[in-house]
Amino acid sequence: QANWLQLLRFTQVLRRWERPNRSLRTMIRYSPGKWGIAFAFSLKGSVFPKACVFAAPAGLLAIVLHYIFRDPQYADAIGVGNLHGGGALGGFYTILGFLIVFRSQQAYSRWWEGGSLLQQMRGEWFNAFSSILAFCNTSPERAAEVAKFRHLLVRLMSMLYGAALSDVSELEDTSMEFFDLTGISNESLSFLQQAHFKSEVVLQWIQRLIHEASGSEVIKVAPPILSRVYNQLGNGIVLLNNAQKLNEFPVPFPVGQMIVFMLMLHWIFTVLVCASTADSPVYAFFEAFVVVIIYWSVHYIAEELEQPFGDDPNDLPIAEMQYDMNESLKDLMSEQARNVPIFDFDMEMHSQLQTKVLSLDEHLGKIRKQVTGEYSEHRKKWNTASAQRSAKRCSRLTRVSMRMCEDQSAPRGSDKGSTAGGEPAPLDKKHQAQPDETLPLGGPPLPDGLLPPPSGAPPPGGTPPALP
């Protein structure tokens, strides 16, 4: 049992290491299912528990008032069964329903606009980063400068998007995933900490970095084309300011105040009407409960969606958006993404422009399995040959050592393996350690077309195993 618990803890730690932001709160994603009913019974992110706080007391109070109103001494005075002022109540319910529906529509529009603005902002900045990497100088003499520029740029772009999300969000815990900031000056990071809007400062750093790289020819591109990158960076900050208005400009106070006040009056009127007009206490309870829970649920839905950048279950997944941005940046930083794929052109075959219906993910997956399988088989053969070579070496050295011990244990001058001066005679050629010529020490070359080994794995032509 202890071993199973340790394995479970290790698995949980491994999953956090693979995707650390999964531990943060993200937006609810659900599937309606075949009949579209099962998901409706989930309580996570639901407004029903909050609405039941008002609906359940309303139903219970309707039962109590129903028994009171049915007392003969109160029935004639109150006029049980006769709804007085029905027209006024109908107008009241109409106005309240209009206000609640209007607020819900505006809340959903704000929620959708907030998500759209953040995605457009991500697209503008990611496209700018992709263009800058494409403009980098490919000269071998500038490789070190280009590598330094790329790694500083990717850290600043990740910091820019994360700072923008932090500026616009209302999260209590603003911890997000960033690339390692080691190497950036502490003075700059200290200034960034006290900045009013961190995203604006980081944007200025990126623009200045691009300008200096263009002047030093780390970036080789015509100025009119480079200006498009500045436009995309500027468009992103404009979209960020549009998203910030959703936090700075909430629903007007009189609208929210009027809706809540009318909901409280609606609660009282509903209880009185259901208690006096229902034929049984059960009907009184259900009528009051259903009417109240519907109105208050719609009201709480509007409150959930009005501020889309919080940490509620129905708010936008801020931390997950930062994670996805970092993953996209890392993909572009890889060597395979920076270089154009090799294309073995065949005039006769490719001129036909044939088409195939296939799933791109499945097709690429098969190719990857094929490539990695060939590499694994090649590595297995090399490991087997290397182990055999090491065993032969150990066997030879063992025989040589035993022969040397026998020679040294024999009396001086009496052993035929000793020289006249008492020194051991040199080993004959068959007992000397010979280099293994089965395989070269550097290992066999990789077959053409194979991918390089994964990160952290020893190269196929690595150092031979150490002798015992």
Side-chain angles (χ1 to χ4, degrees):
Q1 185 178 5
N3 294 335
W4 277 107
L5 291 176
Q6 291 179 359
L7 179 61
L8 178 60
R9 295 192 188 99
F10 175 76
T11 305
Q12 293 174 351
V13 172
L14 181 61
R15 289 175 179 174
R16 294 194 194 101
W17 176 79
E18 291 175 349
R19 189 162 190 174
N21 274 330
R22 282 302 183 187
S23 60
L24 300 177
R25 184 175 298 177
T26 58
M27 185 178 62
I28 298 176
R29 289 180 171 85
Y30 64 93
S31 175
K34 181 177 180 179
W35 304 104
I37 297 177
F39 79 98
F41 296 95
S42 176
L43 296 180
K44 182 180 179 181
S46 176
V47 297
F48 288 150
K50 296 171 66 176
C52 285
V53 174
F54 295 92
L60 296 176
L61 183 59
I63 294 176
V64 175
L65 293 179
H66 176 80
Y67 284 109
I68 295 176
F69 291 163
R70 291 302 173 179
D71 193 332
Q73 61 180 351
Y74 298 108
D76 296 335
I78 297 176
V80 176
N82 298 323
L83 183 61
H84 301 286
L89 285 178
F92 173 82
Y93 285 176
T94 301
I95 296 175
L96 177 60
F98 170 78
L99 290 177
I100 291 179
V101 172
F102 172 76
R103 185 178 183 180
S104 300
Q105 292 177 347
Q106 295 299 316
Y108 181 75
S109 298
R110 291 165 59 91
W111 184 86
W112 183 259
E113 182 182 7
S116 300
L117 291 174
L118 293 185
Q119 288 298 101
Q120 293 175 11
M121 178 181 68
R122 180 194 187 278
E124 294 284 352
W125 287 344
F126 180 79
N127 197 10
F129 177 76
S130 176
S131 300
I132 290 297
L133 292 188
F135 300 155
C136 287
N137 196 333
T138 58
S139 176
E141 294 79 8
R142 313 300 296 273
E145 298 180 45
V146 172
K148 178 182 177 181
F149 168 75
R150 286 200 307 264
H151 281 275
L152 178 56
L153 180 62
V154 72
R155 283 159 174 79
L156 292 181
M157 289 300 300
S158 175
M159 191 188 304
L160 174 63
Y161 193 66
L165 295 178
S166 299
D167 290 339
V168 76
S169 66
E170 295 180 343
L171 299 174
E172 296 181 0
D173 182 12
T174 57
S175 300
M176 295 186 185
E177 184 183 82
F178 296 95
F179 292 117
D180 185 17
L181 303 181
T182 303
I184 301 178
S185 63
N186 294 332
E187 292 78 7
S188 300
L189 296 179
S190 176
F191 173 77
L192 181 64
Q193 194 276 333
Q194 54 86 33
H196 182 59
F197 285 112
K198 298 179 178 60
S199 56
E200 297 174 349
V201 176
V202 179
L203 177 64
Q204 180 64 22
W205 289 349
I206 293 176
Q207 291 178 338
R208 185 63 186 176
L209 176 64
I210 295 174
H211 175 71
E212 294 177 354
S214 177
S216 61
E217 293 189 354
V218 174
I219 299 175
K220 294 191 65 175
V221 67
I225 300 177
L226 185 60
S227 64
R228 180 186 176 187
V229 174
Y230 292 105
N231 292 334
Q232 291 174 333
L233 293 174
N235 293 338
I237 204 68
V238 171
L239 294 171
L240 175 62
N241 290 328
N242 289 333
Q244 287 177 340
K245 73 180 180 181
L246 300 179
N247 284 339
E248 297 177 357
F249 306 142
V251 174
F253 172 76
V255 177
Q257 182 189 38
M258 186 64 180
I259 291 177
V260 173
F261 185 75
M262 293 184 68
L263 280 173
M264 292 188 293
L265 292 178
H266 170 267
W267 188 91
I268 298 174
F269 292 153
T270 301
V271 171
L272 294 176
V273 171
C274 293
S276 61
T277 59
D279 296 332
S280 68
V282 177
Y283 289 159
F285 173 83
F286 280 106
E287 289 177 2
F289 182 86
V290 170
V291 173
V292 172
I293 197 174
I294 289 176
Y295 274 82
W296 282 92
S297 295
V298 177
H299 168 69
Y300 282 128
I301 290 174
E303 285 191 348
E304 286 275 337
L305 302 181
E306 282 174 355
Q307 299 295 336
F309 306 124
D311 55 358
D312 295 330
N314 296 299
D315 290 335
L316 297 175
I318 300 297
E320 190 173 355
M321 295 171 71
Q322 173 67 7
Y323 172 85
D324 292 337
M325 181 65 168
N326 289 337
E327 291 297 308
S328 299
L329 295 178
K330 284 194 290 186
D331 289 340
L332 288 190
M333 286 292 292
S334 63
E335 184 177 359
Q336 289 80 6
R338 297 197 308 268
N339 299 328
V340 180
I342 299 175
F343 180 56
D344 296 332
F345 179 69
D346 187 343
M347 176 66 73
E348 181 179 356
M349 180 180 64
H350 292 106
S351 298
Q352 300 177 6
L353 296 178
Q354 297 179 356
T355 59
K356 294 181 179 180
V357 178
L358 51 84
S359 174
L360 184 60
D361 291 337
E362 294 181 359
H363 182 67
L364 297 179
K366 292 179 181 179
I367 295 178
R368 181 173 180 82
K369 289 181 179 179
Q370 180 182 0
V371 173
T372 55
E374 292 177 359
Y375 170 74
S376 299
E377 185 66 24
H378 174 75
R379 183 64 182 177
K380 183 178 179 181
K381 293 180 180 179
W382 163 239
N383 290 338
T384 303
S386 179
Q388 294 176 355
R389 182 180 59 187
S390 300
K392 291 180 180 180
R393 284 180 177 176
C394 294
S395 178
R396 289 196 188 100
L397 290 176
T398 300
R399 293 195 300 268
V400 171
S401 300
M402 293 177 63
R403 178 60 184 272
M404 292 178 64
C405 291
E406 293 175 357
D407 294 341
Q408 292 177 2
S409 62
R412 289 181 177 270
S414 62
D415 186 39
K416 62 180 181 180
S418 301
T419 61
E423 297 297 331
L427 299 176
D428 53 357
K429 189 173 182 180
K430 67 177 181 179
H431 290 116
Q432 292 181 0
Q434 301 294 331
D436 187 11
E437 299 179 355
T438 304
L439 289 174
L441 295 179
L446 286 173
D448 296 335
L450 287 187
L451 293 176
S455 176
T463 306
L467 295 177

